[in-house]
Amino acid sequence: MTAGFVTDTRRLLARHLCQALVGGLLLGIGGLSWATPVTLNLKDADINALIASVSEITGRNFIVDPRVKGRVSLVSARPMEENEIYDVFLAILAVHGYAAIPGDKVIKIVPAANAKQDDVPTVDQRETIAQDQVVTRVIELHNISAAQLVPILRPLIPPQGHLAAYGPTNVLIVSDAAGNVDRIATIVARVDLASSEEVEIVPLRHASATDVVRVLSSLSDSKGQAAAQGAAAAGNQPKLVADERTNSVLLSGSAKDRLRLRTLIAHLDTPLEGGGDTQVIYLRYAKAVDLVPVLQGVSQNLNEEGKAPGQTATGAAQAVISSRAGAAGRTDVNIQADEATNSLVVTAPPDIVRSLRSVIAQLDVRRAQVLVEAAIAEISAEKTAELGVQWVVDGSQGGNLVGFTNFTLGQSLTNIAATAAAIADGDVSSASNIGSGMALGVGDFSGRNRFAAIISALSQDGNTNVLSTPTLVTMDNEEAEIIVGENRPFVTGSYTTTGDGSSNPFQTIERRDVGLTLRIKPQINEGNAVQLEISQDVEDVIADTAQGPTTTKRSIKTNVLVEDGQILVLGGLIDDSLNENVQKVPGLGDVPLLGNLFRYRKTVKEKRNLMIFLHPVILRDPVAGSIYTNDKYSYIRDQQIAARQKGVALLPEVQSPVLKTQQAVRANNSLIDTTPPPQPLPKPKSPPAPQDNPGFNNK
């Protein structure tokens, strides 16, 4: 070594001290500096002594962590300036696993493993800093995912360093020596490049883009999972996407893959031979006959040349709607519906067929169902009170009866006299002619001056509580109807025909349903609202007369909007009436106390309350339908079990029918019990009687 020497730490410190004294004499004690370069050669020197020497040479203040220990060696071939000495010092610390963390006034020297958790400087690519200085840098990526680079760059970071990815902003956070951080940034810059893959759009004329993509995707899958995984890892996996609106295929991949795919698409996009414009489209939910008018109108709008209005032909098996060409060169579109297979047969150019397929796919969807429960509740109360006397007097010698006072209930004079006589003889059943209650008959029924009187008193209370809950399930926008009642005859006319001296009377009768009728047509709106078109009639027979039955009718016809599961009252009828009737003999009926013998009073109090409630439930999937069905199924089965437990009085060996359990229905796939009845066990045969043996003496 030229002008160099090998010394230990003490000799180095002594040399530095001599230089400091000489410099202090020349420049003053307060301005220590090293104007001349210094050559450092150390061998097995204490690292703390080196830190002290560098502090004196560079004028920097250090705080040394107690864990910083060891001996260092340094070989220098030439003198170094102050900045070079500090860079060499940082390199020595890095080699021995330590790091210097700069601060405002002091520099902390700590183990490198703890440096990333301290206040290390955060830098960018424009800053110049010592290569061995521990720094933190945020590297932004533009073309690739930061999370994908972490496993690749992790082996390049020492254990005491730090590397992480932040997905929301797609950046890498690196904390390590500045030189290694710059190297990582250079690698990232070379990797984070825009892909060389291009996207091509291949329009199709004859084939369907969706079908072509499905065929090519199946071809790629058939090459094997290993090859596909290798291509995906390398980022060279070609991609195909179908655009149904423009009937085009989007290709993404290398130039070689795109060329191969374009060739395959060109072979597939060829017109079919032999009337290939006819296709059969099977429907899943919609009715083919209902879709024909809609598709015919759509096909007319799609045809560029314009079409004449189509003609509709209806039949038991198919409905045909076709639009014919009005001039040469115009395209014909023919749409037929086959009810047997619920399918559409479409004959049209490929572009119109593709458009019709798109419309059919949006119309042929599963529709929700609506369960509507209607509760008809009627509560009525009736109170009746009657009190009075009815008189009959014989006013002539011919035996004719003349009424002396009031007559009620449409009774004739003869009936009143006969009833009074029967009551007087003890025949209480005859009082039914004047109603129930207490009746007393008095008078002279066989003398010359006959008279009769019926004293009646009646008090009657009646209560009615009727609850009817018809339930209907129907599809969206489909009308449903339920009728629960009787079919009664109503006389509409009476005629008599004569001929040959004989008459032939006859009547014309019309039969009509009397009972409960409910018609609904639900329409599910956006959200959970249901618009209901409702027509409900409640008709009852209250009396049968010679002219025919007498009925009462309550009817509601309305449109309402109800939320799913909401209970809504449709309407009601409330009656509250009080009828009081007084019949009396003028003059005599007004006499106090005695007038009660010539007066008849009747009071009727009626109160009726009828309300109709509605409860719709939307059944969007089979699970919802099963829930409501299971509840009602279990209710009916419980009622049948209760009836079976009571038994049949006159037929003890007969059991009332009971529905099967739901588990048994699912196991046997049938609601009907197909289990054969148990057969009676055969009676055991009696042993044969012993036969006489001639060889023995049978006694």
Side-chain angles (χ1 to χ4, degrees), residues 5 39 47 81 90 158 183 244 310 324 332 373 386 401 424 455 458 460 552 565 606 609 638 645 655 664:
F5 61 91
T39 302
I47 191 171
E81 300 293 339
L90 293 178
R183 182 171 70 103
E244 296 183 1
R324 297 298 182 185
D332 292 343
E373 292 180 314
E386 298 181 22
L401 295 174
I455 304 174
L458 173 65
Q460 180 178 354
T552 61
E606 291 182 346
N609 192 343
D638 293 341
Q645 292 175 352
Q655 291 184 342

Side-chain angles (χ1 to χ4, degrees), residues 17 46 51 63-64 66 122 125 193 202 222 248 305 315 329 351 353 358 367 445 457 483 496 498 500 532 604 648 662:
L17 182 59
D46 185 66
I51 294 172
I63 297 178
V64 184
T122 302
Q125 60 181 358
L193 300 176
V202 182
S222 63
S248 302
E305 302 296 334
D351 55 344
V353 172
S358 177
R367 288 189 292 171
F445 308 115
I483 299 176
T496 301
T498 60
D500 299 334
L532 290 171
V604 178
V648 182
Q662 299 184 37

Side-chain angles (χ1 to χ4, degrees), residues 648-661:
V648 182
L650 299 180
L651 299 174
E653 70 278 1
V654 177
Q655 291 184 342
S656 59
V658 176
L659 289 173
K660 297 167 58 176
T661 62

Side-chain angles (χ1 to χ4, degrees), residues 97-418:
Y98 303 109
I101 302 174
D104 294 338
K105 296 181 180 180
V106 297
I107 299 174
K108 294 184 289 185
I109 300 176
V110 297
N114 302 103
K116 60 185 179 182
Q117 302 173 353
D118 215 320
D119 188 16
V120 297
T122 302
V123 299
D124 55 23
Q125 60 181 358
R126 295 185 299 270
E127 297 184 26
T128 303
I129 198 168
Q131 295 294 309
D132 293 301
Q133 176 66 53
V134 178
V135 296
T136 299
R137 183 170 172 179
V138 179
I139 304 174
E140 184 178 0
L141 288 86
H142 302 281
N143 300 295
I144 60 177
S145 173
Q148 293 179 353
L149 284 183
V150 170
I152 300 174
L153 300 177
R154 179 74 69 183
L156 304 180
I157 302 297
Q160 63 271 18
H162 176 74
L163 174 65
Y166 183 64
T169 56
N170 197 36
V171 296
L172 287 173
I173 302 175
V174 186
S175 182
D176 199 9
N180 195 30
V181 172
D182 291 339
R183 182 171 70 103
I184 296 298
T186 303
I187 296 174
V188 171
R190 294 187 177 184
V191 175
D192 187 25
L193 300 176
S195 176
S196 60
E197 298 180 354
E198 297 182 1
V199 177
E200 293 187 17
I201 300 177
V202 182
L204 304 180
R205 297 183 56 188
H206 306 285
S208 171
T210 304
D211 296 339
V212 170
V213 170
R214 184 177 66 251
V215 172
L216 296 180
S217 299
S218 302
L219 180 63
S220 300
D221 295 340
S222 63
K223 292 182 179 181
Q225 296 294 335
Q229 293 176 358
N236 297 327
Q237 179 73 9
K239 298 180 181 179
L240 298 94
V241 178
D243 182 21
E244 296 183 1
R245 188 180 66 86
T246 60
N247 195 40
S248 302
V249 178
L250 280 69
L251 302 179
S252 174
S254 62
K256 180 180 178 182
D257 291 334
R258 286 186 277 112
L259 178 60
R260 178 177 60 85
L261 292 175
R262 283 201 310 270
T263 304
L264 295 175
I265 293 174
H267 285 288
L268 294 175
D269 187 26
T270 55
L272 298 177
E273 298 180 357
D277 290 342
T278 301
Q279 296 189 22
V280 179
I281 303 174
Y282 293 95
L283 304 181
R284 296 176 298 173
Y285 304 105
K287 291 183 179 180
V289 177
D290 296 340
L291 286 186
V292 168
V294 178
L295 298 178
Q296 192 273 341
V298 173
S299 64
Q300 290 180 356
N301 296 330
L302 292 176
N303 197 337
E304 297 177 348
E305 302 296 334
K307 300 285 190 302
Q311 298 179 352
T312 304
T314 59
Q318 63 179 7
V320 181
I321 293 182
S322 60
S323 54
R324 297 298 182 185
R330 292 186 177 180
T331 306
D332 292 343
V333 177
N334 183 277
I335 303 174
Q336 300 181 7
D338 183 53
E339 290 184 310
T341 59
N342 194 34
S343 59
L344 294 169
V345 181
V346 181
T347 302
D351 55 344
I352 296 182
V353 172
R354 286 191 297 269
S355 300
L356 293 179
R357 278 185 174 273
S358 177
V359 174
I360 293 172
Q362 299 179 56
L363 295 177
D364 187 25
V365 295
R366 180 190 179 96
R367 288 189 292 171
Q369 300 183 102
V370 179
L371 180 144
V372 180
E373 292 180 314
I376 305 171
E378 180 177 1
I379 300 176
S380 61
E382 179 181 357
K383 292 185 177 181
T384 304
E386 298 181 22
L387 180 62
V389 179
Q390 301 176 70
W391 292 90
V392 179
V393 179
D394 184 2
S396 66
Q397 297 297 326
N400 295 325
L401 295 174
V402 178
F404 185 73
T405 184
N406 55 295
F407 303 99
T408 61
L409 300 177
Q411 302 292 328
S412 64
L413 302 178
T414 306
N415 289 339
I416 294 176

Side-chain angles (χ1 to χ4, degrees), residues 1 33 39 54 65 130 191 250 350 361 468 478 490 509 542 598:
M1 298 181 184
S33 63
T39 302
V54 173
D65 190 283
V191 175
L250 280 69
S468 178
E478 293 289 343
F490 289 83
I509 297 175
I542 58 175
F598 304 96

Side-chain angles (χ1 to χ4, degrees), residues 40-44 50 72-76 80 88 92:
L40 293 178
N41 285 288
L42 305 176
K43 183 178 181 180
D44 201 20
L50 175 62
V72 300
S73 297
L74 173 63
V75 178
S76 179
M80 294 178 291
V88 172
I92 294 174

